[in-house]
Amino acid sequence: QVRLVESGGGVAETGGSLRLSCVASVTGHTDIIRAWKVYGLGWFRQVPGKAREFVAAISRDSAITRYGDDVRGRFRVSRDDAKSTVFLEMNDLQLWDTGIYYCARRFGDTWTDLNDYDSWGQGTQVTVSS
């Protein structure tokens, strides 16, 4: 079993920046390599009344990154496997970036379909104000 915990959310002004982190931990005799390092990782966000939407993802070797149309050019996803952590650097924040941000482990074939992800964290709230 792998557990993901997000942090770094908060309140930022329009045009500001935040950096989210998602740290993985394992329980019992779970191998961290099998539970974390061989998987791609993704970030999604959700606002009340709307479906959870894809934000960004990174492959297991960091060679491939993918971004949602709304964040491309402003957000950057990265990972540090030595720390079992995936990051989401968010710049030039806009009001519509407000939401709860979740990280998850990618096991499926697509990058953007949340059904291809598991081990969801509990989320961290990001609020952008004008």
PDB file of all heavy atoms in Angstrom, residues 49-82:
ATOM      1  N   GLY A  49     -19.115  20.962  -7.316  1.00  0.00           N
ATOM      2  CA  GLY A  49     -20.103  20.906  -8.378  1.00  0.00           C
ATOM      3  C   GLY A  49     -19.544  20.572  -9.755  1.00  0.00           C
ATOM      4  O   GLY A  49     -20.315  20.473 -10.715  1.00  0.00           O
ATOM      5  N   LYS A  50     -18.224  20.412  -9.815  1.00  0.00           N
ATOM      6  CA  LYS A  50     -17.616  20.100 -11.110  1.00  0.00           C
ATOM      7  C   LYS A  50     -16.791  18.829 -11.008  1.00  0.00           C
ATOM      8  O   LYS A  50     -16.349  18.434  -9.926  1.00  0.00           O
ATOM      9  CB  LYS A  50     -16.751  21.261 -11.581  1.00  0.00           C
ATOM     10  CG  LYS A  50     -17.523  22.546 -11.833  1.00  0.00           C
ATOM     11  CD  LYS A  50     -16.634  23.625 -12.426  1.00  0.00           C
ATOM     12  CE  LYS A  50     -16.242  23.305 -13.836  1.00  0.00           C
ATOM     13  NZ  LYS A  50     -15.459  24.399 -14.476  1.00  0.00           N
ATOM     14  N   ALA A  51     -16.567  18.208 -12.153  1.00  0.00           N
ATOM     15  CA  ALA A  51     -15.780  16.985 -12.183  1.00  0.00           C
ATOM     16  C   ALA A  51     -14.307  17.283 -11.917  1.00  0.00           C
ATOM     17  O   ALA A  51     -13.822  18.391 -12.191  1.00  0.00           O
ATOM     18  CB  ALA A  51     -15.937  16.302 -13.535  1.00  0.00           C
ATOM     19  N   ARG A  52     -13.624  16.301 -11.390  1.00  0.00           N
ATOM     20  CA  ARG A  52     -12.187  16.434 -11.184  1.00  0.00           C
ATOM     21  C   ARG A  52     -11.503  16.502 -12.553  1.00  0.00           C
ATOM     22  O   ARG A  52     -11.780  15.681 -13.431  1.00  0.00           O
ATOM     23  CB  ARG A  52     -11.682  15.241 -10.383  1.00  0.00           C
ATOM     24  CG  ARG A  52     -10.301  15.398  -9.814  1.00  0.00           C
ATOM     25  CD  ARG A  52     -10.012  14.288  -8.802  1.00  0.00           C
ATOM     26  NE  ARG A  52     -10.883  14.370  -7.634  1.00  0.00           N
ATOM     27  CZ  ARG A  52     -10.730  13.625  -6.541  1.00  0.00           C
ATOM     28  NH1 ARG A  52      -9.730  12.757  -6.474  1.00  0.00           N
ATOM     29  NH2 ARG A  52     -11.556  13.756  -5.535  1.00  0.00           N
ATOM     30  N   GLU A  53     -10.622  17.462 -12.727  1.00  0.00           N
ATOM     31  CA  GLU A  53     -10.000  17.649 -14.045  1.00  0.00           C
ATOM     32  C   GLU A  53      -8.482  17.484 -13.988  1.00  0.00           C
ATOM     33  O   GLU A  53      -7.840  17.792 -12.980  1.00  0.00           O
ATOM     34  CB  GLU A  53     -10.344  19.031 -14.614  1.00  0.00           C
ATOM     35  CG  GLU A  53      -9.781  20.195 -13.841  1.00  0.00           C
ATOM     36  CD  GLU A  53     -10.017  21.530 -14.553  1.00  0.00           C
ATOM     37  OE1 GLU A  53     -10.571  21.537 -15.674  1.00  0.00           O
ATOM     38  OE2 GLU A  53      -9.634  22.558 -13.978  1.00  0.00           O
ATOM     39  N   PHE A  54      -7.954  17.052 -15.099  1.00  0.00           N
ATOM     40  CA  PHE A  54      -6.525  16.816 -15.223  1.00  0.00           C
ATOM     41  C   PHE A  54      -5.756  18.138 -15.232  1.00  0.00           C
ATOM     42  O   PHE A  54      -6.158  19.094 -15.903  1.00  0.00           O
ATOM     43  CB  PHE A  54      -6.246  16.046 -16.510  1.00  0.00           C
ATOM     44  CG  PHE A  54      -4.796  15.905 -16.845  1.00  0.00           C
ATOM     45  CD1 PHE A  54      -3.998  15.012 -16.158  1.00  0.00           C
ATOM     46  CD2 PHE A  54      -4.226  16.676 -17.843  1.00  0.00           C
ATOM     47  CE1 PHE A  54      -2.658  14.883 -16.464  1.00  0.00           C
ATOM     48  CE2 PHE A  54      -2.892  16.558 -18.159  1.00  0.00           C
ATOM     49  CZ  PHE A  54      -2.102  15.650 -17.471  1.00  0.00           C
ATOM     50  N   VAL A  55      -4.651  18.168 -14.516  1.00  0.00           N
ATOM     51  CA  VAL A  55      -3.794  19.345 -14.479  1.00  0.00           C
ATOM     52  C   VAL A  55      -2.439  19.053 -15.111  1.00  0.00           C
ATOM     53  O   VAL A  55      -2.008  19.745 -16.032  1.00  0.00           O
ATOM     54  CB  VAL A  55      -3.604  19.835 -13.030  1.00  0.00           C
ATOM     55  CG1 VAL A  55      -2.600  20.984 -12.975  1.00  0.00           C
ATOM     56  CG2 VAL A  55      -4.938  20.254 -12.430  1.00  0.00           C
ATOM     57  N   ALA A  56      -1.757  18.025 -14.624  1.00  0.00           N
ATOM     58  CA  ALA A  56      -0.410  17.736 -15.110  1.00  0.00           C
ATOM     59  C   ALA A  56      -0.041  16.314 -14.732  1.00  0.00           C
ATOM     60  O   ALA A  56      -0.606  15.737 -13.798  1.00  0.00           O
ATOM     61  CB  ALA A  56       0.600  18.724 -14.514  1.00  0.00           C
ATOM     62  N   ALA A  57       0.938  15.762 -15.458  1.00  0.00           N
ATOM     63  CA  ALA A  57       1.422  14.427 -15.155  1.00  0.00           C
ATOM     64  C   ALA A  57       2.865  14.304 -15.598  1.00  0.00           C
ATOM     65  O   ALA A  57       3.340  15.056 -16.464  1.00  0.00           O
ATOM     66  CB  ALA A  57       0.560  13.374 -15.839  1.00  0.00           C
ATOM     67  N   ILE A  58       3.552  13.335 -15.000  1.00  0.00           N
ATOM     68  CA  ILE A  58       4.954  13.097 -15.318  1.00  0.00           C
ATOM     69  C   ILE A  58       5.189  11.597 -15.356  1.00  0.00           C
ATOM     70  O   ILE A  58       4.624  10.847 -14.549  1.00  0.00           O
ATOM     71  CB  ILE A  58       5.857  13.802 -14.284  1.00  0.00           C
ATOM     72  CG1 ILE A  58       7.320  13.717 -14.682  1.00  0.00           C
ATOM     73  CG2 ILE A  58       5.628  13.251 -12.877  1.00  0.00           C
ATOM     74  CD1 ILE A  58       8.234  14.642 -13.879  1.00  0.00           C
ATOM     75  N   SER A  59       6.017  11.163 -16.297  1.00  0.00           N
ATOM     76  CA  SER A  59       6.313   9.740 -16.433  1.00  0.00           C
ATOM     77  C   SER A  59       7.263   9.281 -15.335  1.00  0.00           C
ATOM     78  O   SER A  59       7.857  10.084 -14.617  1.00  0.00           O
ATOM     79  CB  SER A  59       6.912   9.460 -17.800  1.00  0.00           C
ATOM     80  OG  SER A  59       8.157  10.128 -17.945  1.00  0.00           O
ATOM     81  N   ARG A  60       7.453   7.973 -15.237  1.00  0.00           N
ATOM     82  CA  ARG A  60       8.256   7.423 -14.157  1.00  0.00           C
ATOM     83  C   ARG A  60       9.723   7.833 -14.253  1.00  0.00           C
ATOM     84  O   ARG A  60      10.418   7.890 -13.241  1.00  0.00           O
ATOM     85  CB  ARG A  60       8.142   5.906 -14.139  1.00  0.00           C
ATOM     86  CG  ARG A  60       8.625   5.214 -15.382  1.00  0.00           C
ATOM     87  CD  ARG A  60       8.403   3.725 -15.264  1.00  0.00           C
ATOM     88  NE  ARG A  60       8.873   2.988 -16.432  1.00  0.00           N
ATOM     89  CZ  ARG A  60       8.790   1.672 -16.550  1.00  0.00           C
ATOM     90  NH1 ARG A  60       8.254   0.960 -15.575  1.00  0.00           N
ATOM     91  NH2 ARG A  60       9.239   1.069 -17.623  1.00  0.00           N
ATOM     92  N   ASP A  61      10.205   8.119 -15.463  1.00  0.00           N
ATOM     93  CA  ASP A  61      11.598   8.528 -15.622  1.00  0.00           C
ATOM     94  C   ASP A  61      11.738  10.025 -15.862  1.00  0.00           C
ATOM     95  O   ASP A  61      12.820  10.499 -16.210  1.00  0.00           O
ATOM     96  CB  ASP A  61      12.249   7.761 -16.765  1.00  0.00           C
ATOM     97  CG  ASP A  61      11.559   7.999 -18.090  1.00  0.00           C
ATOM     98  OD1 ASP A  61      10.551   8.733 -18.139  1.00  0.00           O
ATOM     99  OD2 ASP A  61      12.015   7.437 -19.103  1.00  0.00           O
ATOM    100  N   SER A  62      10.649  10.764 -15.705  1.00  0.00           N
ATOM    101  CA  SER A  62      10.612  12.219 -15.893  1.00  0.00           C
ATOM    102  C   SER A  62      10.833  12.649 -17.339  1.00  0.00           C
ATOM    103  O   SER A  62      10.953  13.841 -17.612  1.00  0.00           O
ATOM    104  CB  SER A  62      11.639  12.937 -15.006  1.00  0.00           C
ATOM    105  OG  SER A  62      11.391  12.676 -13.635  1.00  0.00           O
ATOM    106  N   ALA A  63      10.874  11.709 -18.258  1.00  0.00           N
ATOM    107  CA  ALA A  63      11.138  12.069 -19.658  1.00  0.00           C
ATOM    108  C   ALA A  63       9.917  12.694 -20.332  1.00  0.00           C
ATOM    109  O   ALA A  63      10.047  13.441 -21.303  1.00  0.00           O
ATOM    110  CB  ALA A  63      11.579  10.837 -20.428  1.00  0.00           C
ATOM    111  N   ILE A  64       8.738  12.369 -19.820  1.00  0.00           N
ATOM    112  CA  ILE A  64       7.505  12.851 -20.447  1.00  0.00           C
ATOM    113  C   ILE A  64       6.695  13.617 -19.409  1.00  0.00           C
ATOM    114  O   ILE A  64       6.509  13.165 -18.278  1.00  0.00           O
ATOM    115  CB  ILE A  64       6.663  11.675 -20.971  1.00  0.00           C
ATOM    116  CG1 ILE A  64       7.440  10.882 -22.009  1.00  0.00           C
ATOM    117  CG2 ILE A  64       5.339  12.181 -21.551  1.00  0.00           C
ATOM    118  CD1 ILE A  64       6.760   9.588 -22.410  1.00  0.00           C
ATOM    119  N   THR A  65       6.224  14.780 -19.813  1.00  0.00           N
ATOM    120  CA  THR A  65       5.278  15.545 -18.995  1.00  0.00           C
ATOM    121  C   THR A  65       4.078  15.927 -19.859  1.00  0.00           C
ATOM    122  O   THR A  65       4.202  16.103 -21.078  1.00  0.00           O
ATOM    123  CB  THR A  65       5.922  16.814 -18.413  1.00  0.00           C
ATOM    124  OG1 THR A  65       6.460  17.606 -19.468  1.00  0.00           O
ATOM    125  CG2 THR A  65       7.015  16.464 -17.420  1.00  0.00           C
ATOM    126  N   ARG A  66       2.959  16.039 -19.230  1.00  0.00           N
ATOM    127  CA  ARG A  66       1.729  16.429 -19.896  1.00  0.00           C
ATOM    128  C   ARG A  66       0.999  17.471 -19.054  1.00  0.00           C
ATOM    129  O   ARG A  66       1.049  17.423 -17.818  1.00  0.00           O
ATOM    130  CB  ARG A  66       0.809  15.217 -20.103  1.00  0.00           C
ATOM    131  CG  ARG A  66       1.351  14.183 -21.083  1.00  0.00           C
ATOM    132  CD  ARG A  66       1.278  14.689 -22.499  1.00  0.00           C
ATOM    133  NE  ARG A  66       1.675  13.662 -23.477  1.00  0.00           N
ATOM    134  CZ  ARG A  66       2.892  13.491 -23.930  1.00  0.00           C
ATOM    135  NH1 ARG A  66       3.868  14.292 -23.495  1.00  0.00           N
ATOM    136  NH2 ARG A  66       3.152  12.556 -24.805  1.00  0.00           N
ATOM    137  N   TYR A  67       0.335  18.404 -19.733  1.00  0.00           N
ATOM    138  CA  TYR A  67      -0.355  19.479 -19.028  1.00  0.00           C
ATOM    139  C   TYR A  67      -1.742  19.696 -19.613  1.00  0.00           C
ATOM    140  O   TYR A  67      -1.966  19.527 -20.809  1.00  0.00           O
ATOM    141  CB  TYR A  67       0.443  20.782 -19.120  1.00  0.00           C
ATOM    142  CG  TYR A  67       1.796  20.707 -18.445  1.00  0.00           C
ATOM    143  CD1 TYR A  67       2.930  20.345 -19.165  1.00  0.00           C
ATOM    144  CD2 TYR A  67       1.927  20.961 -17.088  1.00  0.00           C
ATOM    145  CE1 TYR A  67       4.163  20.245 -18.547  1.00  0.00           C
ATOM    146  CE2 TYR A  67       3.155  20.873 -16.458  1.00  0.00           C
ATOM    147  CZ  TYR A  67       4.270  20.504 -17.194  1.00  0.00           C
ATOM    148  OH  TYR A  67       5.489  20.407 -16.575  1.00  0.00           O
ATOM    149  N   GLY A  68      -2.651  20.102 -18.738  1.00  0.00           N
ATOM    150  CA  GLY A  68      -3.955  20.514 -19.201  1.00  0.00           C
ATOM    151  C   GLY A  68      -3.857  21.825 -19.961  1.00  0.00           C
ATOM    152  O   GLY A  68      -2.930  22.623 -19.740  1.00  0.00           O
ATOM    153  N   ASP A  69      -4.799  22.065 -20.847  1.00  0.00           N
ATOM    154  CA  ASP A  69      -4.746  23.263 -21.687  1.00  0.00           C
ATOM    155  C   ASP A  69      -4.735  24.542 -20.848  1.00  0.00           C
ATOM    156  O   ASP A  69      -4.088  25.530 -21.224  1.00  0.00           O
ATOM    157  CB  ASP A  69      -5.944  23.286 -22.636  1.00  0.00           C
ATOM    158  CG  ASP A  69      -5.854  22.198 -23.689  1.00  0.00           C
ATOM    159  OD1 ASP A  69      -4.737  21.689 -23.931  1.00  0.00           O
ATOM    160  OD2 ASP A  69      -6.901  21.846 -24.265  1.00  0.00           O
ATOM    161  N   ASP A  70      -5.439  24.538 -19.728  1.00  0.00           N
ATOM    162  CA  ASP A  70      -5.574  25.740 -18.907  1.00  0.00           C
ATOM    163  C   ASP A  70      -4.292  26.104 -18.160  1.00  0.00           C
ATOM    164  O   ASP A  70      -4.152  27.248 -17.703  1.00  0.00           O
ATOM    165  CB  ASP A  70      -6.697  25.560 -17.884  1.00  0.00           C
ATOM    166  CG  ASP A  70      -8.071  25.659 -18.518  1.00  0.00           C
ATOM    167  OD1 ASP A  70      -8.144  26.073 -19.691  1.00  0.00           O
ATOM    168  OD2 ASP A  70      -9.057  25.325 -17.845  1.00  0.00           O
ATOM    169  N   VAL A  71      -3.381  25.161 -18.033  1.00  0.00           N
ATOM    170  CA  VAL A  71      -2.202  25.428 -17.197  1.00  0.00           C
ATOM    171  C   VAL A  71      -0.897  25.379 -17.973  1.00  0.00           C
ATOM    172  O   VAL A  71       0.157  25.761 -17.443  1.00  0.00           O
ATOM    173  CB  VAL A  71      -2.126  24.426 -16.017  1.00  0.00           C
ATOM    174  CG1 VAL A  71      -3.440  24.414 -15.251  1.00  0.00           C
ATOM    175  CG2 VAL A  71      -1.768  23.026 -16.491  1.00  0.00           C
ATOM    176  N   ARG A  72      -0.952  24.907 -19.195  1.00  0.00           N
ATOM    177  CA  ARG A  72       0.278  24.762 -19.990  1.00  0.00           C
ATOM    178  C   ARG A  72       0.991  26.113 -20.119  1.00  0.00           C
ATOM    179  O   ARG A  72       0.376  27.126 -20.445  1.00  0.00           O
ATOM    180  CB  ARG A  72      -0.053  24.194 -21.362  1.00  0.00           C
ATOM    181  CG  ARG A  72       1.184  23.792 -22.168  1.00  0.00           C
ATOM    182  CD  ARG A  72       0.790  23.106 -23.471  1.00  0.00           C
ATOM    183  NE  ARG A  72       0.122  21.821 -23.218  1.00  0.00           N
ATOM    184  CZ  ARG A  72      -1.146  21.574 -23.504  1.00  0.00           C
ATOM    185  NH1 ARG A  72      -1.900  22.542 -24.009  1.00  0.00           N
ATOM    186  NH2 ARG A  72      -1.659  20.402 -23.272  1.00  0.00           N
ATOM    187  N   GLY A  73       2.270  26.112 -19.839  1.00  0.00           N
ATOM    188  CA  GLY A  73       3.055  27.341 -19.905  1.00  0.00           C
ATOM    189  C   GLY A  73       3.128  28.080 -18.577  1.00  0.00           C
ATOM    190  O   GLY A  73       3.952  28.975 -18.407  1.00  0.00           O
ATOM    191  N   ARG A  74       2.263  27.722 -17.632  1.00  0.00           N
ATOM    192  CA  ARG A  74       2.265  28.373 -16.315  1.00  0.00           C
ATOM    193  C   ARG A  74       2.663  27.407 -15.196  1.00  0.00           C
ATOM    194  O   ARG A  74       3.268  27.837 -14.207  1.00  0.00           O
ATOM    195  CB  ARG A  74       0.863  28.936 -16.004  1.00  0.00           C
ATOM    196  CG  ARG A  74       0.379  29.967 -17.005  1.00  0.00           C
ATOM    197  CD  ARG A  74      -0.933  30.609 -16.532  1.00  0.00           C
ATOM    198  NE  ARG A  74      -2.024  29.636 -16.461  1.00  0.00           N
ATOM    199  CZ  ARG A  74      -2.685  29.349 -15.345  1.00  0.00           C
ATOM    200  NH1 ARG A  74      -2.366  29.929 -14.201  1.00  0.00           N
ATOM    201  NH2 ARG A  74      -3.685  28.464 -15.371  1.00  0.00           N
ATOM    202  N   PHE A  75       2.315  26.145 -15.331  1.00  0.00           N
ATOM    203  CA  PHE A  75       2.602  25.145 -14.304  1.00  0.00           C
ATOM    204  C   PHE A  75       3.731  24.235 -14.772  1.00  0.00           C
ATOM    205  O   PHE A  75       3.914  24.019 -15.983  1.00  0.00           O
ATOM    206  CB  PHE A  75       1.370  24.279 -14.026  1.00  0.00           C
ATOM    207  CG  PHE A  75       0.241  24.983 -13.315  1.00  0.00           C
ATOM    208  CD1 PHE A  75       0.214  26.365 -13.168  1.00  0.00           C
ATOM    209  CD2 PHE A  75      -0.802  24.247 -12.786  1.00  0.00           C
ATOM    210  CE1 PHE A  75      -0.818  27.003 -12.515  1.00  0.00           C
ATOM    211  CE2 PHE A  75      -1.852  24.869 -12.127  1.00  0.00           C
ATOM    212  CZ  PHE A  75      -1.866  26.244 -11.999  1.00  0.00           C
ATOM    213  N   ARG A  76       4.432  23.682 -13.798  1.00  0.00           N
ATOM    214  CA  ARG A  76       5.507  22.744 -14.122  1.00  0.00           C
ATOM    215  C   ARG A  76       5.483  21.597 -13.121  1.00  0.00           C
ATOM    216  O   ARG A  76       5.497  21.818 -11.903  1.00  0.00           O
ATOM    217  CB  ARG A  76       6.867  23.435 -14.096  1.00  0.00           C
ATOM    218  CG  ARG A  76       8.034  22.509 -14.389  1.00  0.00           C
ATOM    219  CD  ARG A  76       9.345  23.296 -14.444  1.00  0.00           C
ATOM    220  NE  ARG A  76      10.498  22.413 -14.639  1.00  0.00           N
ATOM    221  CZ  ARG A  76      11.171  21.844 -13.660  1.00  0.00           C
ATOM    222  NH1 ARG A  76      10.826  22.067 -12.408  1.00  0.00           N
ATOM    223  NH2 ARG A  76      12.192  21.051 -13.928  1.00  0.00           N
ATOM    224  N   VAL A  77       5.472  20.375 -13.624  1.00  0.00           N
ATOM    225  CA  VAL A  77       5.473  19.186 -12.775  1.00  0.00           C
ATOM    226  C   VAL A  77       6.869  18.587 -12.782  1.00  0.00           C
ATOM    227  O   VAL A  77       7.543  18.560 -13.824  1.00  0.00           O
ATOM    228  CB  VAL A  77       4.418  18.158 -13.250  1.00  0.00           C
ATOM    229  CG1 VAL A  77       4.681  17.692 -14.674  1.00  0.00           C
ATOM    230  CG2 VAL A  77       4.334  16.996 -12.285  1.00  0.00           C
ATOM    231  N   SER A  78       7.300  18.099 -11.642  1.00  0.00           N
ATOM    232  CA  SER A  78       8.600  17.452 -11.519  1.00  0.00           C
ATOM    233  C   SER A  78       8.517  16.418 -10.396  1.00  0.00           C
ATOM    234  O   SER A  78       7.553  16.402  -9.626  1.00  0.00           O
ATOM    235  CB  SER A  78       9.701  18.481 -11.240  1.00  0.00           C
ATOM    236  OG  SER A  78       9.466  19.154 -10.014  1.00  0.00           O
ATOM    237  N   ARG A  79       9.548  15.575 -10.310  1.00  0.00           N
ATOM    238  CA  ARG A  79       9.577  14.569  -9.253  1.00  0.00           C
ATOM    239  C   ARG A  79      10.984  14.385  -8.726  1.00  0.00           C
ATOM    240  O   ARG A  79      11.963  14.567  -9.470  1.00  0.00           O
ATOM    241  CB  ARG A  79       8.980  13.245  -9.739  1.00  0.00           C
ATOM    242  CG  ARG A  79       9.740  12.581 -10.854  1.00  0.00           C
ATOM    243  CD  ARG A  79       8.956  11.400 -11.434  1.00  0.00           C
ATOM    244  NE  ARG A  79       8.858  10.302 -10.490  1.00  0.00           N
ATOM    245  CZ  ARG A  79       8.037   9.255 -10.657  1.00  0.00           C
ATOM    246  NH1 ARG A  79       7.264   9.194 -11.722  1.00  0.00           N
ATOM    247  NH2 ARG A  79       8.005   8.270  -9.763  1.00  0.00           N
ATOM    248  N   ASP A  80      11.068  14.017  -7.483  1.00  0.00           N
ATOM    249  CA  ASP A  80      12.329  13.701  -6.838  1.00  0.00           C
ATOM    250  C   ASP A  80      12.154  12.318  -6.218  1.00  0.00           C
ATOM    251  O   ASP A  80      11.594  12.189  -5.123  1.00  0.00           O
ATOM    252  CB  ASP A  80      12.667  14.755  -5.783  1.00  0.00           C
ATOM    253  CG  ASP A  80      14.016  14.523  -5.131  1.00  0.00           C
ATOM    254  OD1 ASP A  80      14.557  13.405  -5.234  1.00  0.00           O
ATOM    255  OD2 ASP A  80      14.536  15.466  -4.509  1.00  0.00           O
ATOM    256  N   ASP A  81      12.631  11.312  -6.900  1.00  0.00           N
ATOM    257  CA  ASP A  81      12.403   9.951  -6.428  1.00  0.00           C
ATOM    258  C   ASP A  81      13.200   9.638  -5.157  1.00  0.00           C
ATOM    259  O   ASP A  81      12.804   8.774  -4.390  1.00  0.00           O
ATOM    260  CB  ASP A  81      12.746   8.946  -7.534  1.00  0.00           C
ATOM    261  CG  ASP A  81      11.711   8.948  -8.639  1.00  0.00           C
ATOM    262  OD1 ASP A  81      10.580   9.384  -8.401  1.00  0.00           O
ATOM    263  OD2 ASP A  81      12.044   8.502  -9.760  1.00  0.00           O
ATOM    264  N   ALA A  82      14.296  10.314  -4.954  1.00  0.00           N
ATOM    265  CA  ALA A  82      15.060  10.097  -3.721  1.00  0.00           C
ATOM    266  C   ALA A  82      14.231  10.490  -2.496  1.00  0.00           C
ATOM    267  O   ALA A  82      14.426   9.946  -1.413  1.00  0.00           O
ATOM    268  CB  ALA A  82      16.354  10.902  -3.761  1.00  0.00           C
TER     269      ALA A  82
END
